[in-house]
Amino acid sequence: MRNIAPFQEKQRVRLAAVHALLFMGMLLPAYGQPVPFTGNYFFKNYDKGAYKAHSQNWDLHQDTTTGFLYIGNNQGLLSFDGTRWQTYLLPSRLPVRAVLSDHQGKVYVGGYEEFGFFEVAKTGALEYISLSDSLPQKIANNEEIWQIIRQDSTVHFQSFTAIYEYKDGQLTTHKGPSYLLYLMSNQGQLAVHLQNMGLYAYKNGDYQLMEGGSTFKNSRVIAWFNFGANEMVGTTLDGLFKKAGKIWGSWNCEASEFLRKNQLNRSVQLSDTTMMFGTIKDGAIVVNQKGQILEHLNMSQGINNNTILSMLLDVDRNVWLGLDNGLTYVKTHSPFRYIADISGQLGASYDATLFGPYLYIGTNHGLFYTAASQNQTSKNNFTFVEGTQGQVWDLSIHDQQLFCGHNNGTFIIDQPGEAPRWTSPVAGGWNLQPINSDWMVQGTYVGLAFYRKNERGQWNFSHHAQGLQEPIRFVAVHSQEVLWASHNQKGVYKVIMEANRPQLKRVVYYGKEDGFPEDYNIHVFTIRGRIVFTTSAGIYTYDEINDEIVPFEKINEQLANYQGFYRIIEIERHQYWFISSDRAHLFQIDSEFNLSEMSSFMTPSDLIIENYENISTLGHLASLTMDNGLVLFSNESLSHQSEAIPRIQLTQVVAETGNARRNYQLSTDSTQVHSLKANQNNLHFTFTNASYDALPQFYQVRLKGLEQDWSAPQSIGHQSYNNLPPGTYEFYVRVASAPLSQKLLYQFRIQKPWYLTNWALAAYVALLLGLLKVSLLLHSAHLQKQKKELESEKQQELQHLKILSEQKIMSLEKERLEQEVLHKSHEIGTSALRLANKNQLLESLKEGILQIKKAPDTQKAAIAKLVRLIDSNLNSNDDWLLFETNFNHINSKFYEHLSEKYPHLSSNDLRFCAFLKMNLSTKELSALLNVSVRSLELKRYRLRKKLELSHEENLTDFLLSISS
């Protein structure tokens, strides 16, 4: 339950927050039908904390091309683009008294001893150029510019002493015949009030007394306008004057009397039939052609200040007030009005209805009523219904009785203005629905409550149903036996009742497992008698045949562009409001469930009571409940709606380099494709929609070239992209509530870094080809080297194989030679043995023959011959030559080495050495040499001496050591 303290200042702040309702200006008004009550204009206050400058705001102007506002402030020039405020200082840092935009990028300003213009640079920022410095003579001391008016191509700067004209870059000065109090424009003509002289026409430096202008010698004229068929002026202290023929006469009316008391200071014409006048003492009034005050805006109504220093009718025909303390935006061009009590008496509203001559409002403070027909001074004068303090949830009229569903139960008011009677003790009467002509059912904190009509036609509480004790927010009647009830938070129930009396027979719960997208926030309603459910995923319905919860495809297809509806309200036959968190749509629905949209509007998210928005029919008007009052509107006016033209503007583009973190202010021109350096790839866009009707508003952005889809809605008017790759991009922005409002704000191309340019790529290709060529050459050289190495290795291998082969051959040859040597050695040995044996045999034979020699002489000759033959064989050199040949073959170097070392050896010594090298025994040597053993030893001794061997050295070992 919501509780808002009745605290005046807090309520004033809340009332100031009605800027959220600027969405109203998105609709065309349809006035003309009399209304029983009017309510107030919507407005939003801006204090100096909001715009970060001084309190006083002397002048207002709007650039009709961009929609930007420019304000002359005590601190300098303020600009407001709908999202952001900026302050620009004059060189003197003194107040700006007058301001004018020429809609071509120049903003003319005037102040103390200074005037000139700010020019919009390519970056979107304003740069100041002084005109007063170009005067032939310095501007007079204490001179101040109080008014700037553009006529044709000439800009007029008005001070108290002169009018300075600026045209085609030339500045001229036209002194006044007296003090110039106020320069005015009306229907293309200029007029100025001259002190003690009256009202004068001004043209090209010429001052001419206007017809009847001397009437105002002693009355300061501050407004000159045509109102209907009448030419009129407004004076600061003498009220309004109307011209009849050539004579000006005082217009005696309610408005004139008010202005005489409160000092007229500014005026704007709202329409052909209404004017708004701002005063010094008591705010602003809206006046009709009869001089009647239709509206009065002052501090008691919630604006910041009663002193109106400046006024502006903007391009959407709504009014900006420059105050002595802040600014106020007034929504004058709208079919919507606002009922609120800034005293905090009402609180947050939940329902409203017309009952007899009264408007009843149910709030979290209780039940209130006021007369439906009110005059200007008595409107919003609400009376509290005693006994109803607390939360009121529901107001509904059945059979001329007003039911008030309350936190403490339910009250019934039988007659308008009467005291209520407490009829139901069941707490929390949320929703009351008729079952038939005799029974009604109500959703409460603890289930279902039933009401019955008695014989006198009065309704009374009947009973609280047993079997369902859950909090029931909404009830929908399907038939006299079947109800549907949605839990306040989770799921829905199908309630089957007894046939003859509303007693619960069976209750079936339906949630996520039964077909809903989730268990929570499911609400039940009826459309043309069919049960429907609102969910986060769209509209669902009940399939009776299959007992299933299924999506209502036909309705969902028609609502494809909308989402998030959570409440459906039937206002009259087959017309239904669909309410979401940010919009309300009125549809006519036929029997085939075809939807025809009749009207729609944005709901102010910061003023509604979330999930408790309610639209009620109040005669030919309707109301939307708010957290501090009601919004009143006409369905007829909404049927002629026209969405305000979005004025999406790009106000700043900043490129930030990645390394040096340096910022660059870029041009905001959207007509060209901007070329950015590769390192300027961190971009920050600042944008706004200078359509003040749409506040608060949400944006969607898309960077074509990077993103396929639009972003989620965002309230901030800026977007950043970091580390964008090279390429071409287009930056789009649209207002989320108006998908067709998309606008191309910026086109840019991020260049490739130098190392990715075509020249660099060509260099890379050339370098690659060069490297490839070098690589091929190196590879070829490597192959040649490998080939040579392989050939070398092959040669080495062949050489190795050859060596191995030769070694093998040598080994074989060695083996062969060794075998041959062995064989030769064997032959030598054999030969030596054979020779020794032969000699030994011959010696033995010789001895035998010598024994025979002693025989007779006859045999002596024959024996002698035989002995000679034996001697010849014993001394024959043939065997020795054979032995020596074989010995030399095996020991080819023995003689050579022995002779070189011992040249004094004789051939017999060498021969003896050969026999000793063969390591023959003494006996074998004795036989072989045919000498005695003693002679052999002597021969050894002599050889040792020749060889110079010591006693310890072995002769045979020595000879064996000599290489062969």
Side-chain angles (χ1 to χ4, degrees), residues 29 333 630 642 826 866:
H333 190 68
L630 292 177
S642 174
H826 181 69
L866 183 58

Side-chain angles (χ1 to χ4, degrees), residues 53 75 87 144 227 357 400 417 420 473 505 512 561 589 623 625 747 790 796 829 934 961:
Q75 188 167 330
T87 302
E144 282 195 88
F227 197 21
Q400 304 304 312
R473 173 80 182 278
K505 180 179 180 181
K512 184 176 180 180
N561 294 328
I589 303 179
S623 68
T625 54
Q747 305 173 77
L790 288 174
Q796 290 178 1
R934 184 175 176 77
S961 66

Side-chain angles (χ1 to χ4, degrees), residues 58-59 71-74 76-77 88 90 94-99 109-111:
W58 296 101
D59 199 9
I71 303 104
N73 181 267
N74 262 3
L77 175 68
Y88 301 92
L90 291 180
L94 291 174
V96 172
R97 303 291 191 187
V99 61
V109 296

